Amino acid sequence: MPKQWLILVLSLLIPSVGFSALRVDVTSGISGAIPIAIVPFEGGQGLPTDIASIVDQDLAGTGQFKTLPRADMLEKPGSSATTRFENWRAVKVDHLVVGNIQPLPDGSYKIRFEILDVYKAGKLAGYEVTSKGGTALRYTAHKIADIIYQKLTGLPGYFTSRISYVTTSGTGWNTKYSLVVADQDGFNPRTIATADDVIMSPSWSPDGKKLAYVAFRNGKNEIYVHDVATGQAQRVSARTGINGAPAWSPDGRYLAMTLSYAGSPDIYVHDLQTGESRRLTDSRSIDTEASWAPDGKSLVFTSDRGGRPQLYQVPVTGGAAKRLTFEGKSNQRGVFSPDGKLLAMVHEGNKGYRIAVLNLATGGLSVLSDGPLDESPGFAPNGQAIIYAKAAGNGAELATISVDGRVQRRLSQPGTVREPAWSPTEK
């Protein structure tokens, strides 16, 4: 078993208690965050979901917005027509979101909301959305937050995306491993796979409908592709030796994976339509943890061919690999940003293992997290934040950090939570 894998497997054997929804805490934000108020939507009283409150939490959770507590609101209008802008200037709010909810005969809801500019005393934009009831209202709230975020920042929101992660329960020989899918804010956690041995390396398909992952069963590691909606799981690799580190191609047809049945661990490209696998690297060293470039033309992977784990890039058609990282003791588990301009990684320096990003155009490396045991970075769908796992107490928890390092969040729960992956934003 490769050294990197052995370390990760051993770290996953930390016992923990059962899991619940992740708790999200913003630990640092941007100085000068946008002051905004999300007024409770008229007609929303009595609904099981407080849409305005979820929108507030989504925006506040980015660290880019400073939301006004409801107790400090001098009025609670439902539209721009009834808004007295002087009340909002008095509490130093730059932007205001007001709205109303109207029930429809078929049990659904019509939701109108407006984004207002307080100092110009006018409407920036108005929208109308329709939502089913029940759990759909929470999803609709995330969609509204996406719209507001994009309008005010110019960047796509990511609040309708999901995360997956691995958690454990029990102790010793009774330890159980679970692969969990949840909303990006930690709500609606759902276990989609369990195993008596380790589950690791979840990877989302480009359409956000499937997860590839590694499960250790009966002493053997195997790669599965799991349909999140139907629960159907297909085993795609169970060769002798290592079957690990699956990663989807941008078009969803291929999985890059680490296989060792032919000797040392190398990167292979597996065609999900034909079932054929093609060897991409051929080295006596350990080649693992592949990640596709957004254009699908190359992959980055971890290799110790230079003596210590570093990141290399190879064309998907094969050929010589180019070394990308040189700073620090080691760099591994590289992953591209959605625009292909940055490469996030686990960087080993004097302060342990920390999350860093490499600017591929300039070659500049920026270390973002505090360490000392951070792992498994993955980008948010809009490329503005990175999710990762970090040591905490007797276990591990998840965290996010902005690509400039200024905004940090903790996503915590009792026990051990690790191996996070961030899904694409749902269409």
Side-chain angles (χ1 to χ4, degrees):
M1 179 176 291
K3 180 181 177 182
Q4 299 101 311
W5 278 56
L6 181 59
I7 292 172
L8 183 54
V9 170
L10 290 175
S11 67
L12 276 166
L13 295 179
I14 302 171
S16 68
V17 300
F19 71 92
S20 57
L22 295 169
R23 187 183 73 251
V24 180
D25 301 310
V26 180
T27 56
S28 67
I30 295 175
S31 177
I34 300 171
I36 191 170
I38 314 298
V39 180
F41 289 3
E42 282 187 353
Q45 301 82 0
L47 291 180
T49 301
D50 187 336
I51 290 177
S53 177
I54 295 170
V55 173
D56 185 297
Q57 292 166 23
D58 281 346
L59 297 178
T62 67
Q64 296 172 269
F65 294 87
K66 181 181 179 182
T67 58
L68 184 73
R70 289 183 176 180
D72 295 339
M73 296 180 183
L74 302 179
E75 61 173 350
K76 295 178 181 177
S79 69
S80 57
T82 57
T83 298
R84 298 176 62 185
F85 288 98
E86 63 271 19
N87 285 336
W88 301 99
R89 287 191 286 268
V91 291
K92 299 181 180 179
V93 167
D94 288 353
H95 294 92
L96 184 66
V97 176
V98 296
N100 59 82
I101 303 172
Q102 177 185 348
L104 300 176
D106 63 358
S108 62
Y109 296 89
K110 181 184 293 184
I111 304 167
R112 296 187 179 94
F113 66 98
E114 299 169 279
I115 306 172
L116 310 180
D117 186 317
V118 171
Y119 287 93
K120 291 183 179 179
K123 181 169 69 174
L124 283 177
Y127 304 89
E128 181 180 298
V129 297
T130 302
S131 174
K132 295 180 180 179
T135 57
L137 286 170
R138 187 171 192 92
Y139 178 83
T140 300
H142 291 317
K143 287 290 291 184
I144 292 172
D146 278 342
I147 293 170
I148 298 167
Y149 182 92
Q150 183 158 19
K151 183 65 179 179
L152 296 181
T153 69
L155 298 169
Y158 54 81
F159 307 114
T160 56
S161 63
R162 293 179 290 177
I163 57 174
S164 64
Y165 52 91
V166 175
T167 188
T168 59
S169 61
T171 58
W173 295 109
N174 294 319
T175 301
K176 302 289 184 182
Y177 297 83
S178 300
L179 178 60
V180 180
V181 171
D183 297 347
Q184 58 79 31
D185 60 357
F187 279 79
N188 299 322
R190 179 165 63 94
T191 298
I192 68 165
T194 60
D196 293 332
D197 293 316
V198 175
I199 293 177
M200 62 192 301
S201 304
S203 173
W204 287 93
S205 62
D207 60 7
K209 295 180 179 180
K210 296 179 180 179
L211 274 166
Y213 59 91
V214 177
F216 285 68
R217 293 193 169 100
N218 300 317
K220 186 177 182 180
N221 54 86
E222 302 171 339
I223 295 176
Y224 290 84
V225 169
H226 196 109
D227 188 300
V228 176
T230 67
Q232 293 182 339
Q234 176 188 5
R235 189 175 65 181
V236 297
S237 185
R239 295 173 174 84
T240 301
I242 293 168
N243 299 273
W248 292 86
S249 63
D251 62 5
R253 175 169 176 171
Y254 302 97
L255 280 180
M257 56 181 67
T258 300
L259 304 176
S260 67
Y261 71 93
S264 60
D266 280 301
I267 306 300
Y268 287 72
V269 175
H270 178 82
D271 190 324
L272 291 168
Q273 293 184 8
T274 67
E276 297 178 352
S277 296
R278 174 173 57 89
R279 191 172 187 168
L280 188 59
T281 66
D282 189 356
S283 168
R284 285 185 288 182
S285 302
I286 298 169
D287 295 346
T288 187
E289 299 174 342
S291 175
W292 294 78
D295 62 8
K297 295 180 179 180
S298 65
L299 297 98
V300 66
F301 64 96
T302 304
S303 178
D304 63 353
R305 60 184 64 190
R308 297 278 296 179
Q310 296 291 346
L311 297 180
Y312 295 78
Q313 189 171 15
V314 63
V316 73
T317 53
K322 174 186 176 183
R323 182 169 169 176
L324 298 179
T325 55
F326 297 88
E327 295 184 40
K329 299 177 182 178
S330 70
N331 295 279
Q332 50 196 306
R333 199 139 185 179
V335 59
F336 285 96
S337 60
D339 62 8
K341 295 180 179 180
L342 301 176
L343 194 65
M345 68 196 70
V346 178
H347 171 80
E348 182 189 6
N350 294 329
K351 295 184 179 180
Y353 295 89
R354 303 161 71 188
I355 305 303
V357 291
L358 175 70
N359 186 310
L360 292 170
T362 67
L365 184 76
S366 301
V367 179
L368 304 181
S369 68
D370 298 327
L373 290 173
D374 300 336
E375 63 178 31
S376 305
F379 279 94
N382 68 354
Q384 297 302 299
I386 298 169
I387 194 169
Y388 64 100
K390 62 181 299 177
N394 293 324
E397 65 183 18
L398 307 186
T400 67
I401 191 165
S402 60
V403 293
D404 59 9
R406 294 192 294 169
V407 181
Q408 298 182 46
R409 295 193 307 170
R410 295 172 61 245
L411 292 82
S412 59
Q413 68 177 40
T416 297
V417 188
R418 50 195 332 146
E419 293 284 299
W422 212 324
S423 83
T425 301
E426 294 189 9
K427 306 301 182 183

